[in-house]
Amino acid sequence: MPTTRKIPSAAVSSTVSPTVSPTVSPAADEPAPTEPLTATRPARARKAPAAAAKPAKAAKPAKPARPARPAAAPVAKAAPKAAKPAKPPKKPPKVQALLVRDGFTMPEADFALIATLKARALAAHREAKKSELLRAGLHALAALDGAALIAALAALEPVKIGRPKKGH
């Protein structure tokens, strides 16, 4: 807000030069006022209390219902455009299974067996990851009947539960 300074009424003349501004303004972008400053300020009008200013609300009259638009008659086209080939229906997006990260302990011989199976897959021109081999083994075990599954589990070397010691 520009700061103004009061000028005594005797000092204000009716002719103000356009280059001299009677106000002191910090912003140079504002145009200079064209009317002279007055010695007195007009009094502000006081607002009436809010309760007296607002009359009671009257009930709104109901709006008349709009008449329904008549249905537009279909317009026949002069010449239909060449029919576009129908697009094949989009395939539903493939939902990926929730992946779970887990760690486990196994004997070094079984770990070496994983390396051997990876080398055999590579010799057959198929690179395989350790997790793929473990998952394939799970699916192969799931295909076995109960007696064969028990026999496969009995052939495993028992492993101590928990993490191995740091220096192993």
Side-chain angles (χ1 to χ4, degrees), residues 74-99:
V75 179
K77 294 183 180 178
K81 293 182 180 179
K84 292 182 180 178
K87 292 182 180 178
K90 290 185 178 179
K91 294 180 182 177
K94 206 173 195 180
V95 179
Q96 287 189 346
L98 182 65
L99 301 178

Side-chain angles (χ1 to χ4, degrees), residues 11-66:
V12 176
S13 67
S14 62
T15 58
V16 176
S17 103
T19 58
V20 178
S21 171
T23 61
V24 177
S25 174
D29 298 337
E30 295 181 15
T34 55
E35 50 189 61
L37 291 177
T38 58
T40 61
R41 240 174 47 185
R44 283 187 175 178
R46 293 186 183 212
K47 292 184 180 181
K54 292 183 181 179
K57 288 187 177 182
K60 291 184 179 180
K63 291 184 180 181
R66 288 187 184 180

Side-chain angles (χ1 to χ4, degrees), residues 1-154:
M1 181 172 184
T3 57
T4 59
R5 119 179 100 128
K6 289 187 181 180
I7 301 175
S9 60
V12 176
S13 67
S14 62
T15 58
V16 176
S17 103
T19 58
V20 178
S21 171
T23 61
V24 177
S25 174
D29 298 337
E30 295 181 15
T34 55
E35 50 189 61
L37 291 177
T38 58
T40 61
R41 240 174 47 185
R44 283 187 175 178
R46 293 186 183 212
K47 292 184 180 181
K54 292 183 181 179
K57 288 187 177 182
K60 291 184 179 180
K63 291 184 180 181
R66 288 187 184 180
R69 288 185 178 179
V75 179
K77 294 183 180 178
K81 293 182 180 179
K84 292 182 180 178
K87 292 182 180 178
K90 290 185 178 179
K91 294 180 182 177
K94 206 173 195 180
V95 179
Q96 287 189 346
L98 182 65
L99 301 178
V100 179
R101 184 164 177 82
D102 194 13
F104 51 89
T105 305
M106 69 171 64
E108 287 184 18
D110 290 346
F111 201 76
L113 187 59
I114 289 176
T116 304
L117 290 172
K118 284 174 81 171
R120 281 180 53 190
L122 194 56
H125 304 288
R126 166 68 161 86
E127 189 175 350
K129 298 177 183 175
K130 179 171 60 171
S131 63
E132 289 176 320
L133 292 172
L134 294 175
R135 290 174 53 219
L138 285 175
H139 289 275
L141 287 172
L144 297 177
D145 62 349
L149 177 63
I150 298 299
L153 290 175

